[in-house]
Structures are given as C-alpha cells and as structure tokens.
Amino acid sequence: MDTVVALSSGALPAGIAVVRASGPVAWDLARAVAGEPDPARRASLRPFRDPGSGETIDRGLLLGFRGPNTVTGEDLVEFHCHGGPAVVRALLRVLTKRPNARLAEPGEFTRRGFLNGRLDLAAVEGLGDLISAETEAQRRQALRQSGGFIGGRVERWRGRLVRAQAGLESTLDFSDEEDVPDDADRAALEEIGGIADEIAVELVRGDRGERLRRGLEVAILGPPNAGKSSLLNALARRDVAIVTSIPGTTRDVLEVDLDLGGYPVRLLDTAGLRETDDPVESEGIRRAHARAAAADVVLLLVPPGDACVSRETFAGHPELIVVGTKSDLGTPYANEAPEMMVSVLADNGLSPLLIRLEQLAADQLGGGEDVLITRERHRVALMDAERELWSALADGLPTEARAEHLRRAAVAFGRLTGRIDAEEVLGAIFSTFCIGK
Ligand SMILES: Nc1nc2c(ncn2[C@@H]2O[C@H](COP(=O)(O)OP(=O)(O)OP(=O)(O)O)[C@@H](O)[C@H]2O)c(=O)[nH]1
Ligand SMILES: [Mg+2]
C-alpha cells in the first residue's frame, strides 16, 4: 500500500494551504521533512525542509494523526504551509520523492476511509454533496448524510432482517408441518412486513432529497420580446443575457443559479416561441420546449398587446405561472389573464415573484429534515429490497423460498451501504471527487 500525498485545500494562491499524506510511511514523511509529529495530535510550528538539500521550503504547522482513528483509517499527517504555488509545488515534490510515496488520485483519501470501514458508501456520497453544497438546505442534507444517516437506517433494517431470517430458518430445521406457521414464524413474518412498510414510506416521500441536490428548475418561456431575458437579468441581478428590442434575440438556453431562502433554484432563459423558417431559431425553440417539459416550474411570460403564447401550450405541466410583463406600459394583456405582473423597467412585482418561487422551492424541495433517499442509486436499492421483502411474505411459500427472497433483500441493503459488490459503483462515485479529498 502506497502512501498518498495531495494538496487538500483549495485553489492557489491562498493564505494557507494544507497538504495531507496518508498511509504506512506518512509518519516517516513528516519525520524527514519536519521532524517527529506531536503524538497527542497537537499542532507544532516547524521548518519544512528538503531532506536532500537541507534547504528550508517554508515554515508551517505540522499535525500528525495515528491510524486507525483517522478519516482514512491510516496514519495521516498534515502540513499547513503558506498557500503560494511554489511553496506547495516544492513540498509535494519533496514528499513524493520519498520511497513508497506518490500523489493521490481523485477521492483517494475518502476511498481509503471507505475501504477501512471509516464510512459507508452513502456517507461517502454525502461527503461529496457537502463539498459541492451551494445552499443551506443542501448543506444540511449533505451533512446529515455524510454523518452516516442513511447507512445507520439501512443497517438497522438489515439487523432486523437477519434476526427475522434466523427465526424463520430455525423453524425450517425443526418443524415438519410447512403449511402451519408457528409463533416464531408469524413473528418473523410480521417483522419483515414492518420493515417493508417503513421502506415504502421512504420511497413515497421519495425524491425530495434528490430534487434538493439538483435544485428547482424554473423555465422562462413566452413569445419573442416578452421580456424573458430582461426578467432573468433582473432576478439574477446580473447582466447574463443579451437584451434587445429585436424579436428572436435569445437562441440558446441560458442558466442562472439562485439561492432563494436556502433552496437552490435554477432559472432558464429560452428562445421566444413563434413560427419561424430560421433553422437556428427553430432549434432554439425546440430546446425551449424540451427544457420547459423537464422543468419543475414554467413561467409563461405574456407581454402587453396581442403577442401571446396560449397557456394551453403547457396544459400538461404541473406548475405553470402566467406572468404579465412590462406592466409599466399600462397596456392591457390580450388573451391570457396573468396571475402576476412584473415590470423590470419600473422594478415592480419582482419581489412577489421571487417570494412565490421561494415558496415553491420550499414546497417541492423542503420539509425533508429526515429524508433518507438522496440519489437514484438509493431508490433502486430500496425498491429492490422492498420487492424482495413483499415476495418473501407471499402466501403458501415454502420457507426455503422465503429465505431466498430475504437473502436478496439483504443484498440490496448491502449494495446501498457498499458492503456488497461495491466495485462497479465505487469508481463512479470516487471519480467525482477532487484530488486531495
Ligand atoms: N417598458 C418595458 N420594456 C421592457 C421591460 N422588460 C423588457 N423590456 C424591453 O422589451 C424588449 C425585449 O426584451 P427581452 O428581454 O430581450 O425580451 P425576450 O423575451 O428575451 O426576447 P427574445 O429573446 O427575443 O425572445 C427590450 O427592448 C427590453 O428593453 C419592461 O419591464 N418594461
Ligand atoms: Mg431573450
């Protein structure tokens, strides 16, 4: 097993940088460059030297942690140096020149923690989410998950399942009457039904956790010149999209991420909807429709006068809000009665619109203080487990067949926490991490 070394703090230059080393010779690396670390995990100020030339690279704090009680489960040392690119480069060069030491791959510290049983796979995912969390609600969910919230629940289910299984199998050995379940059987089957019910509850509450990671997508649609791009810029308080009085200005879909009350909201500006022969504009309109169909909310913008896209265009969409634009003009809206009115020019109606969006975000993403499922992967594993549990409960099933379904349910739990056949998912999960994590 190599000892891996990486810059674990952010982009350089910075005030301080943290270089970590984890593995069997981590302590030796520290000794060679900075002297023996304090065994009581206290930081000590040291010169960091190139052991080859004896030259001092920098002065900084050295911290040493003895495994297995570390995030990686291995011996771990941290060099806190000044965050200059040349300082960090020199330190990494010196450390990786030592025998059995090399640069870490993306996510390798966390991967070692997982392999050494310091955290389960769902917690690893939570850690990844915590690092990429952009808003408060995302941060809270990710923190809960990285602390082993999902793994804990699943392990408890698995424990109950194993005990129920044992109950069933004991009757398998001793009873000759297959059809008449005795008391032990009945209790075991009830327990299995209870677990299946609890999983069903989580599956129904379902995709809040996943949606919170993604954010609420709000597509702005309407006829050309409705004021879509102007509204996007105003809500983003940035000059993101080009605004002109020429209809058909916007072609590509533009995205802006907002934080509304702690919830992530992504606004999409789209091409104005109309009949056109222009192939570029046609493609823009096709994309506009496609994004609207997938979005959580459609804001249909209606300008004053008769240029209008009927709300029937989005009849099937679960969340459609018709917004009258350019209310400062005082011109009536022709066809579709707007639910809300805005004027970007006069700065009118923007706050109520933001409040409405924040409310929608809270409704659709929030309330998930103890939501379990935050990824498709979790959902699939829990659906498999639930199906096997119900199958195990089928009437008149021989006990051997029940046991087989229960075994498969346990495998599904194991997949979720990474106890079982993790290799395929491991690569996918850890590759999303940055180097040094
Ligand atoms: N009076 C007034 N004019 C506005 C308002 N919002 C936008 N406009 C004007 O309307 C015109 C079109 O604005 P855009 O934001 O480019 O409209 P769009 O819907 O993005 O148009 P396309 O990209 O062509 O589909 C520009 O001349 C804007 O200055 C408003 O609140 N009041
Ligand atoms: Mg536009």
Side-chain angles (χ1 to χ4, degrees):
M1 196 66 154
D2 287 337
T3 293
V4 292
V5 178
L7 171 66
S8 285
S9 54
L12 305 176
I16 288 171
V18 178
V19 169
R20 287 200 292 186
S22 177
V25 302
W27 224 255
D28 297 332
L29 296 184
R31 267 186 216 112
V33 171
E36 184 78 19
D38 183 322
R41 300 187 160 201
R42 277 186 302 251
S44 43
L45 181 64
R46 305 281 174 86
F48 298 153
R49 287 202 182 88
D50 178 344
S53 66
E55 189 192 353
T56 300
I57 298 166
D58 191 10
R59 256 176 300 275
L61 292 183
L62 176 71
L63 269 164
F65 307 91
R66 280 292 194 192
N69 293 323
T70 62
V71 282
T72 56
E74 305 174 323
D75 284 354
L76 187 78
V77 292
E78 290 183 6
F79 303 88
H80 295 222
C81 58
H82 292 100
V87 173
V88 171
R89 213 160 29 231
L91 190 56
L92 288 175
R93 179 168 40 76
V94 161
L95 291 171
T96 53
K97 261 206 314 224
R98 309 293 299 171
N100 302 317
R102 62 166 169 83
L103 278 179
E105 284 164 25
E108 199 168 3
F109 288 94
T110 314
R111 187 175 194 132
R112 289 177 173 214
F114 167 74
L115 292 175
N116 289 321
R118 302 297 299 171
L119 69 182
D120 67 55
L121 205 51
V124 168
E125 292 167 327
L127 210 53
D129 289 348
L130 190 58
I131 291 167
S132 54
E134 301 260 1
T135 72
E136 276 297 280
Q138 287 177 319
R139 179 187 63 71
R140 278 190 220 108
Q141 170 166 299
L143 185 68
R144 193 171 60 234
Q145 193 186 340
S146 67
F149 179 71
I150 300 175
R153 275 295 287 283
V154 171
E155 276 305 301
R156 283 197 293 283
W157 279 329
R158 221 170 82 102
R160 285 164 62 190
L161 179 62
V162 168
R163 280 193 298 279
Q165 228 168 342
L168 277 184
E169 276 163 22
S170 69
T171 67
L172 183 67
D173 294 338
F174 301 116
S175 97
D176 297 325
E177 268 88 306
E178 299 177 26
D179 305 1
V180 195
D182 62 15
D183 276 0
D185 259 6
R186 207 170 305 126
L189 296 180
E190 263 170 33
E191 178 72 344
I192 291 161
I195 300 171
D197 280 337
E198 288 175 28
I199 295 175
V201 169
E202 293 302 335
L203 286 169
V204 167
R205 292 208 293 182
D207 67 349
R208 276 171 186 274
E210 286 164 84
R211 295 174 75 150
L212 179 56
R213 288 184 55 240
R214 253 196 349 250
L216 188 82
E217 218 170 63
V218 179
I220 305 175
L221 281 100
N225 258 358
K228 301 181 293 299
S229 301
S230 304
L231 182 65
L232 178 89
N233 290 347
L235 296 178
R237 297 163 188 268
R238 284 196 287 138
D239 201 6
V240 183
I242 299 172
V243 168
T244 73
S245 57
I246 303 162
T249 302
T250 306
R251 305 291 177 88
D252 288 311
V253 177
L254 295 174
E255 304 186 352
V256 171
D257 290 324
L258 301 182
D259 177 342
L260 297 186
Y263 296 106
V265 174
R266 173 164 291 177
L267 293 179
L268 309 178
D269 180 24
T270 62
L273 306 178
R274 66 170 166 183
E275 294 295 324
T276 173
D277 294 331
D278 182 337
V280 182
E281 198 178 356
S282 292
E283 175 58 19
I285 291 170
R286 191 193 65 75
R287 291 182 186 203
H289 278 295
R291 296 301 292 270
D296 300 299
V297 180
V298 168
L299 294 185
L300 175 57
L301 267 50
V302 176
D306 12 280
C308 182
V309 172
S310 148
R311 67 160 70 218
E312 293 311 313
T313 314
F314 304 100
H317 203 280
E319 203 66 60
L320 176 70
I321 306 174
V322 178
V323 180
T325 58
K326 311 187 190 183
S327 62
D328 54 283
L329 294 178
T331 321
Y333 301 99
N335 302 316
E336 297 296 336
E339 290 156 47
M340 308 187 78
M341 281 185 280
V342 295
S343 165
V344 169
L345 198 75
D347 191 6
N348 248 332
L350 295 176
S351 301
L353 180 58
L354 282 172
I355 290 168
R356 177 78 187 270
L357 291 178
E358 182 179 329
Q359 191 58 51
L360 281 170
D363 288 349
Q364 297 200 17
L365 318 178
E369 286 311 305
D370 54 352
V371 152
L372 201 63
I373 298 168
T374 63
R375 281 165 201 261
E376 177 72 14
R377 196 180 75 75
H378 308 161
R379 169 184 312 286
V380 169
L382 288 183
M383 277 167 54
D384 286 351
E386 192 203 10
R387 198 187 48 246
E388 295 297 342
L389 293 176
W390 290 129
S391 304
L393 293 175
D395 276 344
L397 210 60
T399 305
E400 293 88 341
R402 289 198 211 285
E404 175 57 19
H405 285 301
L406 296 182
R407 199 191 56 76
R408 288 193 207 155
V411 168
F413 286 146
R415 268 207 312 275
L416 212 168
T417 54
R419 275 173 176 250
I420 288 166
D421 63 37
E423 263 317 312
E424 54 192 277
V425 274
L426 280 190
I429 291 172
F430 286 103
S431 64
T432 65
F433 276 71
C434 39
I435 290 175
K437 186 60 214 174

Short mmCIF file of all heavy atoms in Angstrom, two decimals, residues 229 242 250 269, ligand 2:
data_model
loop_
_atom_site.label_atom_id
_atom_site.label_comp_id
_atom_site.label_asym_id
_atom_site.label_seq_id
_atom_site.Cartn_x
_atom_site.Cartn_y
_atom_site.Cartn_z
N SER A 229 -35.49 37.61 -21.19
CA SER A 229 -34.09 37.82 -20.83
C SER A 229 -33.96 38.97 -19.83
O SER A 229 -33.14 38.92 -18.91
CB SER A 229 -33.26 38.11 -22.08
OG SER A 229 -33.36 37.03 -22.99
N ILE A 242 -28.34 38.68 -23.31
CA ILE A 242 -28.43 39.85 -24.19
C ILE A 242 -29.89 40.25 -24.31
O ILE A 242 -30.77 39.41 -24.55
CB ILE A 242 -27.87 39.50 -25.59
CG1 ILE A 242 -26.40 39.11 -25.48
CG2 ILE A 242 -28.07 40.67 -26.55
CD1 ILE A 242 -25.82 38.59 -26.78
N THR A 250 -32.71 35.81 -28.16
CA THR A 250 -32.16 34.65 -27.45
C THR A 250 -32.38 33.38 -28.27
O THR A 250 -33.48 33.17 -28.79
CB THR A 250 -32.84 34.50 -26.08
OG1 THR A 250 -32.72 35.72 -25.38
CG2 THR A 250 -32.20 33.37 -25.26
N ASP A 269 -33.44 30.86 -19.22
CA ASP A 269 -33.96 31.79 -20.22
C ASP A 269 -33.96 31.06 -21.56
O ASP A 269 -33.02 30.33 -21.87
CB ASP A 269 -33.06 33.03 -20.28
CG ASP A 269 -33.56 34.04 -21.32
OD1 ASP A 269 -34.77 34.03 -21.64
OD2 ASP A 269 -32.72 34.84 -21.79
MG MG B 2 -34.30 36.87 -24.79
#
